[in-house]
Amino acid sequence: MKTLLLLSWKNVWRNRTRSFALMLAITLGIAAGLIMFGLMAGMILQRFEGLVQNQLAHIQIHENNYLSEQENSLIIQDLYQIKPILDTISSLEGYAFRTISNGMIASGYYSSGIKIMGLDKKEEASISRFPENITDGTYLNDSIRNPIVISQRLAKKLRVQIGGRLVLTFQDLDGNITSSAFRVSSLYRTSNANFDDANVMVKRDDLQQLLGNNEAFHQVAILLTDHTKAAEVAMALDLKLPNSEVRSWESLSPELRILVEQGGFIMYVFMIIILLGLAFGILNTMLMAVFERIQELGMLMSLGMQKAKIASMIILETIFIAIIGGVVGIGLGILITKSFETKGLDLSGFADALAEFGYEAIIYPELGTEDIVITLLLVFATSILSAIIPALRAVQLNPAEAVRK
Amino acid sequence: MPIIQTKKLYKIYNEDTIPVYALKDLNLDFEVGEFTTIVGPSGSGKTTLLNMIGGLDVPTRGSVLVDGTDISTLKKNQVINFRLHHIGFVFQSYNLIPVLTALENVSLIMELQNREKKEIRERAIHVLEEVGLADKLNSRPSELSGGQQQRVAVARALASRPKYVLADEPTANLDSKSAMNLLDIMARLNKDESMTFIFSTHDQRVIERARRVVTLVDGALYEDLKKEG
Ligand SMILES: Nc1ncnc2c1ncn2[C@@H]1O[C@H](COP(=O)(O)OP(=O)(O)OP(=O)(O)O)[C@@H](O)[C@H]1O
Ligand SMILES: [Mg+2]
């Protein structure tokens, strides 16, 4: 075995140019694959965290039928049961009670349908990093009366600035239309244009007062320490809260679930395409190496080297090349990915286009150890598989023929 | 008992189309310690005969017995192992592995035989000394002359102490001085190590050095000349 390893290793270096070319191809393929892996994983993660932390959270509780009917009157009835139950969840990060109303927002120039989120700043702080999206002004400024936070996009359409006056119109809990004036306390901008167009934030107390009930809540948003536990926790809560509907992020945002589930799958499809290309290159190169050495292989067989050993020799040679190319490629991939991990890959030039799809302008690639290990194993497997044909070719030789000049 | 016997040996290529009788009814015995050359015009069947007694090819009819075993009845893997353990080969060209040094080339067979490391090294150095290459142990084939390369090949063939060494035109690519030098070495090893050598050649001066000359014509035995002394 040692002899075989040595012989294969030396054979790797007999046609340096060719071996280097193949290694380089493997290196570049793997590095490109990993960088793409990292970028996609990063984009997906950012999208996920963005949605979760802006508003979605991991689990939401609503009154039964609220999600389908969106009626303001469907306020949470299990209110007094909820808090103690939530406090028993071991993976609980935080929760916030929210009051919500659909309504109209209007300035002198423009009006539009809108979702009004009544938020409590302190409760929100435990589950959301929404204030990071504030670009101007102070988030739900306590020193002004009826503060409202709207997006930059909406402000443009409404032609208002900080301090500007807006009128919100919606139904109170008794079904009467009510209107009230709000003052723009700050502007925000998320990476999701649709969200920006449709959501404004006011203080929960202000909204409850206008609705006519200071215990009117429509939603409890819950954040866990581990997003993968959401479905399980939601199910348990649902059983304990008869009047409420408890749903995890997977069912609240099927789009997000698909993104998370299929993102990984798509990455592997890309990886496999890259590996197929490599397999083809390896196959070709190693076949060439075998044909070039027909006489020598025939001589070895004549001398008494078993076919299995000759085949192993060719496969080992391929593995050496693939491992060198693969390891360097993984190193290069990690290096490049890591170099963007802190400062991010800045795609600001495409920020608006990305925002239309809900992605951020600066992508922070994410490369898990697992992905790296899997990539290495895939490269390994690919090299073995693509060496099989050349190896079989080598042992099909008839030694008597091969050595006849 | 002879070490090699061919019995009614036939090799017919393309038997069902246009048959080529490469070997016809050969009945030959080879004894331990022989220094024998196979001669004959081009196409007379020298290579074919060496391939038969080297287990590199199977007879169409008849048999090849080595120490009484019919090697043509062995399974493929068994024949390969038989070659590895019992037969030494020297080819006309492509003898050596270019990426290995002389010492590594000579050691290769013994390594495939899983012999002990120390024994391999000592034996390999010893035979390389015997063929006059003590100072070339670590040279690659590309750094050696054609004659030196063939000497390494002879050293390798002998190193594992096979039952016999077969050489198909080992001197064909050498100038006459190197050819005679190689023959001297082979003759000496034949004596010192009492190694059986069977080799083919076209070279009259090489033929003169052999103690037995088997002449083939059109695949059949034409003459079997055993010299005295
Ligand atoms: N694979 C093959 N298929 C068909 N015919 C073959 C094959 N190998 C050898 N022959 C024929 O068998 C005959 C004997 O060939 P062989 O190579 O044994 O001769 P040789 O004495 O070694 O000749 P040379 O001196 O040229 O090396 C020749 O007629 C050759 O054409
Ligand atoms: Mg010949």
Side-chain angles (χ1 to χ4, degrees):
Chain A
M1 193 61 198
K2 221 179 121 229
T3 315
L4 224 51
L5 280 171
L6 187 78
L7 199 50
S8 306
W9 175 250
K10 290 191 167 174
N11 277 333
V12 169
W13 304 108
R14 71 197 284 176
N15 191 333
R16 277 160 202 261
T17 323
R18 193 173 57 200
S19 294
F20 274 132
L22 188 55
M23 284 175 199
L24 190 69
I26 295 173
T27 297
L28 293 181
I30 296 303
L34 280 183
I35 292 166
M36 206 198 55
F37 242 65
L39 283 178
M40 271 189 83
M43 274 172 96
I44 291 171
L45 190 76
Q46 278 169 251
R47 178 82 197 268
F48 179 77
E49 307 237 293
L51 280 175
V52 163
Q53 297 192 343
N54 278 352
Q55 195 190 44
L56 185 65
H58 290 147
I59 295 173
Q60 291 181 2
I61 304 176
H62 299 95
E63 184 64 8
N64 285 335
N65 300 327
Y66 177 83
L67 281 172
S68 51
E69 292 172 19
Q70 305 269 331
E71 283 289 339
N72 284 359
S73 56
L74 291 170
I75 61 173
I76 291 175
Q77 292 178 50
D78 292 329
L79 191 58
Y80 293 102
Q81 283 154 264
I82 288 178
K83 270 195 186 185
I85 291 177
L86 290 185
D87 288 329
T88 64
I89 302 173
S90 61
S91 55
L92 182 77
E93 175 78 35
Y95 56 84
F97 284 73
R98 292 166 174 174
T99 305
I100 301 170
S101 175
N102 289 311
M104 292 282 290
I105 191 164
S107 67
Y109 292 95
Y110 179 81
S111 66
S112 131
I114 206 84
K115 186 171 180 185
I116 306 157
M117 303 290 297
L119 304 178
D120 179 90
K121 254 200 292 189
K122 235 167 75 200
E123 287 180 20
E124 290 295 323
S126 69
I127 65 159
S128 155
R129 281 160 55 187
F130 186 80
E132 288 176 9
N133 296 310
I134 299 299
T135 57
D136 303 278
T138 312
Y139 179 64
L140 293 179
N141 192 347
D142 288 319
S143 60
I144 56 176
R145 215 177 85 81
N146 280 356
I148 185 169
V149 180
I150 66 173
S151 71
Q152 281 186 344
R153 288 172 64 98
L154 195 59
K156 225 186 213 164
K157 290 184 189 166
L158 292 163
R159 296 202 214 169
V160 288
Q161 287 170 339
I162 305 274
R165 214 180 79 105
L166 293 168
V167 174
L168 293 179
T169 308
F170 50 90
Q171 278 189 336
D172 67 17
L173 295 182
D174 299 326
N176 304 318
I177 302 289
T178 161
S179 277
S180 184
F182 283 76
R183 206 163 280 283
V184 178
S185 89
S186 62
L187 302 180
Y188 73 85
R189 180 196 162 98
T190 71
S191 58
N192 186 338
N194 292 333
F195 179 88
D196 287 14
D197 284 339
N199 290 275
V200 300
M201 292 86 192
V202 299
K203 292 210 287 196
R204 191 173 69 195
D205 298 342
D206 295 346
L207 188 56
Q208 283 174 333
Q209 206 175 357
L210 290 166
L211 287 172
N213 177 351
N214 61 4
E215 286 203 333
F217 299 100
H218 296 100
Q219 182 182 89
V220 187
I222 301 161
L223 196 72
L224 303 178
T225 49
D226 178 1
H227 72 86
T228 59
K229 296 222 172 83
E232 182 191 321
V233 174
M235 192 128 87
L237 287 176
D238 202 36
L239 288 174
K240 291 183 192 158
L241 300 169
N243 296 312
S244 309
E245 183 178 357
V246 186
R247 288 168 70 169
S248 68
W249 62 270
E250 288 103 325
S251 83
L252 289 164
S253 173
E255 166 227 28
L256 196 58
R257 192 197 72 217
I258 290 169
L259 187 76
V260 170
E261 276 176 4
Q262 310 215 325
F265 174 73
I266 290 168
M267 290 191 286
Y268 281 107
V269 170
F270 273 116
M271 202 40 137
I272 282 166
I273 292 172
I274 289 177
L275 290 172
L276 274 180
L278 287 184
F280 206 74
I282 294 172
L283 183 92
N284 242 319
T285 310
M286 292 317 290
L287 266 183
M288 239 155 75
V290 167
F291 284 133
E292 212 174 75
R293 262 180 252 160
I294 287 277
Q295 268 101 356
E296 189 182 314
L297 294 171
M299 180 262 293
L300 283 172
M301 222 185 277
S302 303
L303 294 182
M305 190 159 174
Q306 289 288 359
K307 291 185 176 199
K309 285 201 172 157
I310 291 184
S312 315
M313 190 173 79
I314 302 290
I315 292 175
L316 278 173
E317 189 176 330
T318 317
I319 291 176
F320 281 136
I321 292 178
I323 293 272
I324 295 173
V327 166
V328 176
I330 285 174
L332 190 68
I334 293 176
L335 210 73
I336 294 176
T337 311
K338 293 280 169 202
S339 76
F340 284 115
E341 213 158 72
T342 41
K343 64 179 183 352
L345 179 63
D346 195 345
L347 300 177
S348 300
F350 310 102
D352 287 330
L354 285 165
E356 292 292 336
F357 295 106
Y359 290 99
E360 315 229 355
I362 298 180
I363 297 167
Y364 299 89
E366 281 279 328
L367 206 52
T369 323
E370 193 190 295
D371 296 328
I372 296 168
V373 171
I374 289 177
T375 307
L376 196 59
L377 290 178
L378 284 174
V379 172
F380 196 72
T382 307
S383 62
I384 293 179
L385 287 178
S386 37
I388 287 178
I389 293 178
L392 286 180
R393 198 70 197 75
V395 299
Q396 269 165 17
L397 288 171
N398 173 348
E401 294 294 325
V403 292
R404 242 178 218 270
K405 281 163 255 199
Chain B
M1 194 173 80
I3 184 167
I4 309 165
Q5 291 175 290
T6 69
K7 295 203 161 154
K8 296 188 178 144
L9 182 63
Y10 279 83
K11 181 66 184 183
I12 309 166
Y13 290 107
N14 313 322
E15 202 177 5
D16 17 276
T17 54
I18 310 152
V20 179
Y21 282 74
L23 295 178
K24 268 182 260 178
D25 192 27
L26 277 189
N27 296 284
L28 287 166
D29 289 357
F30 299 93
E31 306 288 339
V32 174
E34 276 193 17
F35 197 64
T36 299
T37 184
I38 316 278
V39 302
S42 185
S44 57
K46 303 182 293 290
T47 298
T48 307
L49 174 60
L50 286 172
N51 284 349
M52 293 299 140
I53 60 183
L56 290 173
D57 211 344
V58 282
T60 311
R61 256 170 263 154
S63 53
V64 176
L65 304 183
V66 176
D67 275 343
T69 326
D70 186 348
I71 60 170
S72 57
T73 61
L74 296 177
K75 296 208 186 74
K76 268 198 177 149
N77 276 345
Q78 292 176 316
V79 184
I80 296 179
N81 266 332
F82 188 87
R83 291 201 298 266
L84 176 64
H85 290 280
H86 303 303
I87 312 178
F89 288 93
V90 179
F91 304 104
Q92 184 179 328
S93 48
Y94 302 111
N95 260 306
L96 304 178
I97 310 254
V99 292
L100 299 182
T101 63
L103 188 62
E104 289 165 342
N105 265 292
V106 171
S107 307
L108 184 65
I109 308 260
M110 293 185 281
E111 274 164 8
L112 290 175
Q113 292 175 340
N114 288 323
R115 298 218 193 162
E116 200 209 325
K117 214 174 150 192
K118 190 161 156 265
E119 180 204 339
I120 294 176
R121 194 179 156 78
E122 280 171 5
R123 174 71 178 158
I125 292 174
H126 175 74
V127 287
L128 277 167
E129 278 167 357
E130 296 238 21
V131 299
L133 292 174
D135 56 337
K136 300 287 183 193
L137 299 184
N138 297 314
S139 304
R140 297 273 180 100
S142 58
E143 297 157 358
L144 299 173
S145 72
Q148 290 171 328
Q149 289 181 31
Q150 288 305 73
R151 276 146 65 189
V152 175
V154 168
R156 181 188 58 197
L158 278 173
S160 60
R161 294 194 178 86
K163 289 185 199 290
Y164 50 94
V165 173
L166 302 177
D168 192 9
E169 307 202 35
T171 61
N173 290 344
L174 303 183
D175 60 75
S176 61
K177 192 163 159 264
S178 307
M180 284 309 116
N181 179 249
L182 188 73
L183 249 286
D184 286 341
I185 287 169
M186 283 165 59
R188 198 183 66 238
L189 290 167
N190 166 250
K191 246 207 216 112
D192 294 354
E193 303 230 351
S194 51
M195 178 57 62
T196 313
F197 275 92
I198 304 172
F199 51 96
S200 71
T201 187
H202 283 286
D203 187 336
Q204 193 53 44
R205 297 209 301 170
V206 171
I207 297 170
E208 282 164 16
R209 303 293 304 271
R211 287 205 306 280
R212 176 182 172 192
V213 183
V214 173
T215 310
L216 299 179
V217 174
D218 288 338
L221 181 64
Y222 175 79
E223 189 182 47
D224 188 354
L225 191 73
K226 288 174 190 159
K227 298 178 192 172
E228 290 310 307

